[in-house]
Amino acid sequence: MADLQQRTRFEPAEVEPRILARWLESGFVHPEPAGTAGENFSIAIPPPNVTGALHMGHALNCTIQDALVRINRMRGRRAKWILGTDHAGIATQRQVEKLLESEGTSRAEIGREQFVQRVWEWREKYGGQIIEQFKRLGATCDYEDERFTLDAQYVEAVLKVFVDLYEQGLIYRDNYMVNWDPGLRSAISELEVEEREGVVDTLYSIAYPLASGDGEVVVATVRPETMLADTAVAVHPDDERYALLVGQEVVLPLVGRRLPLIADDYVKSDFGTGALKITPGHDPNDFEIGRRHGLDEIGVIGEDGLMTAAAGERYAGLTALQARDRVVADLEQLEAIRGREPYVHTVPFSQRSGERIEPLISLQWFMRMDELARPAIDAVRCGHVQIHPDSQSRRYIDWLENIRPWCISRQLWWGHQIPVWYRGDETYVGATAPEGEGWEQDPDVLDTWFSSALWPFATLGWPESTRELQAFYPTDVLSTGRDILFLWVARMVMMGLRFAEDIPFHHVYVHSIIQAPDGRRMSKSLGTGIDPLALVEGGPRPPVYASSSRAPGDFPAYGADAVRFGLLAMSSTQDVRFSEEKVQQGQALANKLYNATRFVVLRVGDHAAAAPQPRTVEDRWILSRLQAIKGDTQARVDGFDFAKAALGLYDFIYGELCDWYLEIVKPRLAQDADPDDRATLGATLLHVLRETLATAHPVIPFVTEELWGLLPGTDGQLATSSLPAPDSTLSDPAAELAMGRAIDAVRQLRGWRDFVGVRPGAIVPALLQAEGYERTADRVGALARFAFRPATAAGADAGEVATIGVPGGSVAVLESADVDVGAAERRLQERRTTLRKEIERAQKKLCNEGFVAKAPAAVVEAERVKLERLRSELEAV
RNA sequence: GGGCGCGUAGCUCAGUGGGAGAGCGCUCGCUUCACACGCGAGAGGUCGCAGGUUCGAAACCCGCCGCGCCCA
């Protein structure tokens, strides 16, 4: 932006890459590990999947974290934004499997060692592009110190935690019900399970004869094939229909096994016949019931999705679906089917493979969580870890109070292989392989969340006692979406307390989820997602983002500042819909700031030094308002109220600074104006602008950095400059009062002009007959284009053609060619009507005994003052 | 089934006891010498519905309707 004179628009596409390069070159993103975590500021980024591409959630979270990091860096704290990526077991493995498929080979064919090698190669080539995208948003992560959850040092931390927890008895191997993904042939975590609503199945009613031969019990199921694994029938303990039967046995058709009839609260009496077949081997709820009642757990569906030998010769080897058909047919033969009806319900599917989850029991590694959960609950209860908004604390605590063992093994090849070796009946657990021949390592890897749980301290070098750990742990803030509060945040608290001997962060900020304009989630497959960089640099606008004013097509290149501003302005404590208008507002703000700076720089000249040197009421006013916006913005960012921070800056810059202050002082900058005043005004303008840029920097870093460089007398980068604190000696309530009144008066006068149809350029002669304008009358006149004549004793009233009410009195309009007297009269009538109505209202209120007696005195007094004001205005007009 | 949240201007959202707000959109006016990504002025709302508490409710309480999310 060399030619300030000519360029009237801020051009982010030209400016932002240049500024970014300068930031990265200067190296401030990497703080030296010195001092204590209490003095320093740190945030650990939620590590994006190494396969990841930037989505709106990343962009929002990036902006939030960057605003926090920047504001604290400007406070002079060593600010470290811990950066890295997650190896993301399943997602990454799938990517490479797909690649192999396209090459006509497969994971099984090339073998484990080769495969893992290929994943590393893939990661080298494609991994971490998301980090480049973070840069484009202006995120000042510590790019010089990037971590990966499979770095050697990180692996060491993971293995140590596993071994320690094993030795402490918290990690164990057990047969347990897992979410089995038949497509991946692995257990998957709850996070990767998607509940699909509206799945239509057939609900079969099947008769199980009583062993006594005396009747039957009818049960309902959508999965008849699982009956082969039934080990009980359950009813509700209060269900009178079955009260006498509990304790008896039924005979399982096709199999002949005798099943006890048990009573359990879980059963809903009003569903079907009130009797529930219990299949502990293939249903999570039945599994729980089974464990409560000590039932056998039979598995008839194998990990390959085929029926096992336990299903019996007739069914073994069939797929579950084939088995279902055969079971139904066989039951029909027995005349055991009592009914079938369509049944709509919710069914778990794997997000990864898209296949229906097959709940089954398998031998897995588990982690006992109750002992770890207790201190993590206390940390939040006592406020050591504060969750914002606070409503999320309860979700966190509820979840931890009802926590279950965590299945930490995954049947994958990409990840931290479980550090357990087997030889015959022997088991060895240790960070390195045992001595001796014939040991074989457990083939499974750990759930990705196991390693993520160590993120805030493993990235800083734990288990070594490093300088980094000293300087940056615990971190200050963790910012994340609600969806991983349990899967990640809670686990980090547990692991941090257990292993790093302190909470991992003081504050957790749970940010909004940004939805598509139609309220659906943003998703590639739905066509509702947008690439944040398409907003920054221009790119496709999907159809759902079109509106009456916006055709589908391409987004203009709004720039990173606009996107950051827009995202923060949109954000809230709840989910919000994406609004392009807010991004546009950010763009407008950047442009406004640019032009305001241009104006000041071109008028003030290079020699001026920035300093607050107020001479007039408007100078005192803007300095006073500046103190307010500095304080408000800092408090809002610190309080995680990012929307108010962003919009507050907009209001100050657009409204108070540009619309009012710059407009008012324009005449004082004219060529023929008083040079002394010009000089002090220049100093004040520069001061206000500098502090405004610094205050806005954490939200819109690029434009503020660029403009900082254009201001005379600045040296160094804004990003590493100090944040200006509010100066109470510059707060001036009297100036705010006077200017507030003046602004209201200008609005009244402009509204009147418009209504009466005064020619836009015309200067209206008038008398200002109002109090409180001693210091502002000429400003009001200039902005509203009124020429206030001194009130002469005689002859003045003669020419009065209209009266306009303003705070503190009125303006008497004198006769002139530009004023349509008839319109003015209509305007006056309108105003009188409004005033009478309002007076009536106020009177009524004050006559209300209840109000006068019970409302706070200040409120009553305010009402009286208001009534007085209205009356005097009515009198004046 | 349990829990949490939401319903305010055409759209996206602020406002959480004392005269309904912002941005965008819309209408009218303005080549006002920083900015037409601009300036100025307007129109537009029975604050989901029905009760209650209160001198006073968009806000607090109860119920209903609609929408969303989480857990089961």
Side-chain angles (χ1 to χ4, degrees), chain A residues 10 12 556-559 561-563 565 582-592:
Chain A
F10 179 69
Y558 284 115
D561 286 324
V563 173
F565 177 94
K582 288 285 192 292
V583 176
Q584 215 167 31
Q585 198 178 348
Q587 181 195 28
L589 177 63
N591 190 56
K592 195 74 173 174

Side-chain angles (χ1 to χ4, degrees), chain A residues 112 159 162 365 408-410 416-422 441-446:
Chain A
R112 183 165 191 152
L159 298 185
F162 184 97
W365 286 96
I408 53 173
S409 46
R410 293 289 180 275
H416 303 93
Q417 193 168 351
I418 291 177
V420 178
W421 284 261
Y422 310 102
Q441 189 172 3
D442 193 302
D444 290 354
V445 299
L446 291 166

Side-chain angles (χ1 to χ4, degrees), chain A residues 80-92:
Chain A
K80 185 180 179 83
W81 188 356
I82 301 165
L83 176 70
T85 50
D86 193 301
H87 66 281
I90 294 172
T92 314

Side-chain angles (χ1 to χ4, degrees), chain A residues 606-754:
Chain A
D606 292 342
H607 49 278
Q613 296 180 3
R615 282 200 170 199
T616 65
V617 63
E618 69 266 20
D619 294 345
R620 288 180 231 287
W621 172 75
I622 196 66
L623 287 167
S624 186
R625 297 306 305 147
L626 177 67
Q627 308 320 309
I629 193 66
K630 287 191 290 185
D632 287 350
T633 305
Q634 293 197 36
R636 287 162 178 167
V637 172
D638 289 339
F640 307 105
D641 194 350
F642 299 101
K644 275 219 190 71
L647 295 169
L649 284 167
Y650 179 92
D651 288 342
F652 174 74
I653 293 167
Y654 238 86
E656 295 175 318
L657 181 56
C658 293
D659 288 347
W660 293 103
Y661 187 64
L662 293 186
E663 291 305 324
I664 290 173
V665 301
K666 263 179 189 172
R668 295 168 59 194
L669 291 166
Q671 293 299 332
D672 54 357
D674 170 14
D676 284 350
D677 182 52
R678 276 192 67 165
T680 52
L681 175 58
T684 300
L685 275 169
L686 283 175
H687 170 81
V688 171
L689 204 47
R690 282 174 73 146
E691 297 214 327
T692 300
L693 292 176
T695 301
H697 180 76
V699 174
I700 42 175
F702 288 104
V703 63
T704 49
E705 184 73 75
E706 168 76 359
L707 300 179
W708 181 260
L710 294 178
L711 288 187
T714 54
D715 52 306
Q717 301 192 79
L718 176 54
T720 51
S721 301
S722 63
L723 192 68
D727 176 354
S728 61
T729 63
L730 290 174
S731 289
D732 191 334
E736 295 210 22
L737 195 70
M739 277 297 297
R741 176 165 285 205
I743 286 170
D744 283 345
V746 170
R747 291 208 167 110
Q748 285 296 328
L749 296 176
R750 283 171 173 169
W752 179 87
R753 288 180 70 109
D754 209 61

